[in-house]
Amino acid sequence: MHELSVALTLLDGVSEAALRDGIERVTAVHVRIGALSGIARDALLFSWDMASAESIAAGSELRIEDVPVAVFCERCKRERSPAPGTGLLCPVCGAASPTIVRGRELQIVAMEVPA
Ligand SMILES: [Zn+2]
């Protein structure tokens, strides 16, 4: 299951940062996930609960911020946001715009610790 390995990767990042900062427990983890990352949100949330069960992030909440796709259209010379499901076509002029500016993210933005 793809999302389980993603959850484990995120958890590695969390554990590393926690170790570095002397954090013993994490209550929530904020991540940014691009629309092109191929990650299913629900599956990731489910995997997170499983993967984090024995870790410092046990019982923590995974807060996912979805990052929509943005491409750079060579014809318009501007950044554009293709409509979902249309691939990488410029929504204004229709040109194929394979230069992806955003949408592939998989990053930890922040961690919450007990007050
Ligand atoms: Zn365009």
Side-chain angles (χ1 to χ4, degrees), residues 38-108:
I39 296 166
R41 189 189 179 99
D42 290 348
L44 180 58
L45 288 172
F46 178 75
S47 298
W48 178 256
D49 287 344
M50 262 194 323
S52 64
E54 303 285 313
S55 77
I56 56 157
S60 69
E61 192 185 338
L62 188 65
R63 300 220 174 114
I64 299 173
E65 181 193 338
D66 296 305
V67 181
V69 182
V71 296
F72 187 82
C73 176
E74 290 295 338
R75 197 182 291 170
C76 302
K77 302 285 177 210
R78 289 194 59 172
E79 191 180 306
R80 301 289 192 193
S81 303
T86 61
L88 301 175
L89 298 180
C90 173
V92 178
C93 73
S97 307
T99 309
I100 296 164
V101 182
R102 274 191 304 283
R104 285 190 168 136
E105 290 81 355
L106 172 58
Q107 54 185 190
I108 299 167

